[in-house]
Amino acid sequence: MFSSRAFCRSYRLTANFRTLIPKSIGTRTMATETSDSLVAEIAQATGALNDLRLQNADASSIDAAKKRLGELKKTMAAMNIASGSKDAGKKKERLLLKTAKGTRDYGAAEMFCREHVERIVKDVFTSYGGSALDTPVFERKDVLAGKYGEDQKLIFDLMDQGGEQLALRYDHTVPLARYLAMAGATVQAKIWQVGKVYRRDNPVMSKGRMREFSQADLDITGAWDPMIPDAEIISLLCTILTRLDVGEFTIKLNHRKILDGIFEVCGVPQAKIRSISSAVDKLDKLPWIEVKKEMTEEKGLPSDVADKIGEYVKHKGGPSLLDILKADATLMANPSAKQGISDMDILFTLLRAYKVLDKISFDMSLARGLDYYTGIIYEAIVEASAPPAFAANAESPAPAPSKPKSSKKAKADDGEEDELDESQVGVGSIAAGGRYDNLVGMFTAAAAAEGKKAPGLPCIGVSIGLDRIFAIVWPKWVEKGMRSKETMVYVLAAGDGLLEERIALVQELREAGIKTDFLAKKKPKLTAQFMAGEKDEVPFAVILGGDELKEGLVTIKEQKWEFVDGKKTKVQSEDQGLKVRRDGLISWIKQTPTYQGWSSGRLI
């Protein structure tokens, strides 16, 4: 039987290789000899290890043999790297061409739809008096820390960069508050931002729930009369969602002060209010029995206290719900709840004036998990918002009849957890926000000298999830046959190519504000030019001919598309086109119904 001592003695020379390698790599001959010796040693060590296993050697001998073999292989790898050997290390792995988890590319047609959505949002922002702001995509980590409650874990940290601990922004709200604090907390304005934010969450790509996604925010900053900015924000959100054609939507409303008052009168300890609020916020995804279990088993709340909370959060409705709350003497005796109910009274009066009351649901289960909210909170939902097992406008939280199916897929081959099972997940809210009167003051206080009073700045805002809206709008866009480009005219040449003449006309049309293109070939075939224009569904084909140009004429042909058996095809026509004066072409195009009706990108 082999002993560990005898085994190790047989490889005395091996211990010297690590000191020999740096000196030997200067010459190819010595490197080759060393490499050959190591190969032989590795083969010998492998054989010795196999012999030990066959002879049922003691564990210590086998472990010693494994360790020696590992050291030899490491030495070989180090020497191969140092010598630049083409055979060094493992076989070269093929590059895996894919986007990072939770991110995706958008093609031309999808981007045209996304830009359409973004244009509408920005147009409404400006029509409500908003001004644009842009903040960095990453912030100092201490700026973001402590603002997001249980979602703090979703922040993407960056490695130390030049002495600063950084993180990708989680939303636009905290960077805005930092900006306002740097400006002295004196800004009274309507400020909008559109850009990407990042969250280290489990993605559901088809539902627009990703790790990198776009948000559009509008915030009203400064001291105004009670609830007027709040109503303005809700009106703005209703206007955007109506213009985007997302289908029937509901704006769920609640007030943090009412919710905090409910928790207090039900007996929730002050230290647990925020964590219990986060649990209540899950009622749009989980049945009450699961939420209660989290409250009691995970967060230590007594069962009778949870039951009292359940009696309150089941309520939803409109202004009439305020009457129910006002009749609750215990609740009205709580200063926080009383103030919240008074605010909601004013808000409903203003929303009636804005004519959006029919879109509102006063939902006592809405909590919003972020720590910085201090007043009204809201979120916009559509039919696709809730998981399949829930209705988006369920009347009350009820226990599930059976244990819900896990929403997580099995792990991928590389060991990384795949995205959540889309069949078990809804789009979620497509917009959300609320009042945050203390966030700017948190920054000014943290930056102020000791003993110096720090100014605050009340704020309210809304964040619109552009990717979630895209997930709803895109299928409708495809179904309606929307285009992927705005090109209105395609300039073609019959005969000799007429390249210079085509370029001159293209530039003239572009300068007149008409989006125009042509085929970048000297002498393209007419068929190829038509095919290029038809691929982009360009409605006007302008054909140049040598003889017609001498007469000051061009031929213009209007083209249309239709759905046949679910497929979009060009309408075939015997029309050979209309001859139009070259110098009157621009005015002719701009007077057509097709050109004048162009706004949404639809051309059927």
Side-chain angles (χ1 to χ4, degrees), residues 477-531:
W477 186 280
V478 174
E479 184 181 337
K480 292 178 180 179
M482 309 295 260
R483 288 181 58 196
S484 61
K485 280 189 179 180
E486 291 188 82
T487 310
M488 292 298 293
V489 176
Y490 206 89
V491 177
L492 305 83
D496 196 36
L498 302 170
L499 179 60
E500 292 180 25
E501 290 81 354
R502 280 188 289 145
I503 290 174
L505 180 56
V506 165
Q507 284 301 94
E508 187 178 328
L509 292 169
R510 288 170 177 169
E511 289 169 3
I514 300 173
K515 297 176 174 64
T516 309
D517 205 355
F518 72 108
L519 192 61
K521 296 277 188 179
K522 280 187 177 182
K523 293 184 178 181
K525 293 182 179 179
L526 189 59
T527 305
Q529 295 176 83
F530 266 111
M531 289 177 64

Side-chain angles (χ1 to χ4, degrees), residues 426-585:
V427 171
S429 61
I430 58 176
R435 175 163 287 281
Y436 53 102
D437 286 346
N438 301 330
L439 186 56
V440 176
M442 287 173 61
F443 285 121
T444 56
E450 188 174 350
K452 185 177 180 181
K453 186 177 179 181
L457 190 71
C459 302
I460 184 168
V462 64
S463 296
I464 299 168
L466 298 181
D467 292 275
R468 295 189 181 187
I469 287 176
F470 172 78
I472 295 168
V473 172
W474 174 245
K476 298 180 181 180
W477 186 280
V478 174
E479 184 181 337
K480 292 178 180 179
M482 309 295 260
R483 288 181 58 196
S484 61
K485 280 189 179 180
E486 291 188 82
T487 310
M488 292 298 293
V489 176
Y490 206 89
V491 177
L492 305 83
D496 196 36
L498 302 170
L499 179 60
E500 292 180 25
E501 290 81 354
R502 280 188 289 145
I503 290 174
L505 180 56
V506 165
Q507 284 301 94
E508 187 178 328
L509 292 169
R510 288 170 177 169
E511 289 169 3
I514 300 173
K515 297 176 174 64
T516 309
D517 205 355
F518 72 108
L519 192 61
K521 296 277 188 179
K522 280 187 177 182
K523 293 184 178 181
K525 293 182 179 179
L526 189 59
T527 305
Q529 295 176 83
F530 266 111
M531 289 177 64
E534 290 170 9
K535 185 181 75 171
D536 293 333
E537 300 175 19
V538 181
F540 296 108
V542 176
I543 307 164
L544 307 185
D547 294 338
E548 286 84 354
L549 285 176
K550 290 176 183 177
E551 298 174 15
L553 300 172
V554 296
T555 301
I556 186 163
K557 184 177 181 180
E558 187 169 356
Q559 305 178 110
K560 296 182 181 293
W561 280 260
E562 64 181 354
F563 277 105
V564 177
D565 297 328
K567 186 177 181 182
K568 197 175 184 184
T569 58
K570 182 185 174 185
V571 177
Q572 299 302 317
S573 173
E574 298 297 326
D575 180 21
Q576 297 300 308
L578 178 69
K579 284 185 170 51
V580 177
R581 292 289 307 173
R582 165 74 170 72
D583 55 10
L585 179 62

Side-chain angles (χ1 to χ4, degrees), residues 19-37:
T19 57
L20 288 172
I21 287 171
K23 298 176 183 178
S24 64
I25 58 177
T27 63
R28 186 175 297 276
T29 302
M30 289 194 69
T32 302
E33 291 175 355
T34 305
S35 176
D36 292 343
S37 300

Side-chain angles (χ1 to χ4, degrees), residues 31 38 40 49 71 92 100 129 143 158 172-173 178 246 266 299 346-347 355 444 460 463 537 564 583:
L38 274 173
L49 177 59
E71 289 174 350
K92 180 182 176 182
V143 167
L158 300 178
H172 292 306
T173 306
R178 187 262 310 149
V246 296
C266 288
K299 299 182 176 178
I346 299 171
L347 180 64
K355 300 179 181 178
T444 56
I460 184 168
S463 296
E537 300 175 19
V564 177
D583 55 10

Side-chain angles (χ1 to χ4, degrees), residues 307-367:
D307 288 336
K308 290 178 184 177
I309 293 172
E311 287 301 310
Y312 278 107
V313 299
K314 71 180 181 181
H315 291 297
K316 62 180 62 177
S320 60
L321 181 53
L322 284 175
D323 296 331
I324 297 174
L325 298 179
K326 289 176 183 177
D328 188 329
T330 304
L331 189 62
M332 290 301 291
N334 181 275
S336 176
K338 185 176 181 179
Q339 179 61 55
I341 291 169
S342 175
D343 286 346
M344 292 296 286
D345 220 347
I346 299 171
L347 180 64
F348 278 125
T349 299
L350 296 174
L351 293 179
R352 188 175 288 108
Y354 276 107
K355 300 179 181 178
V356 296
L357 208 51
D358 61 315
K359 299 294 185 183
I360 305 302
S361 171
F362 185 9
D363 191 330
M364 302 295 291
S365 69
L366 179 64

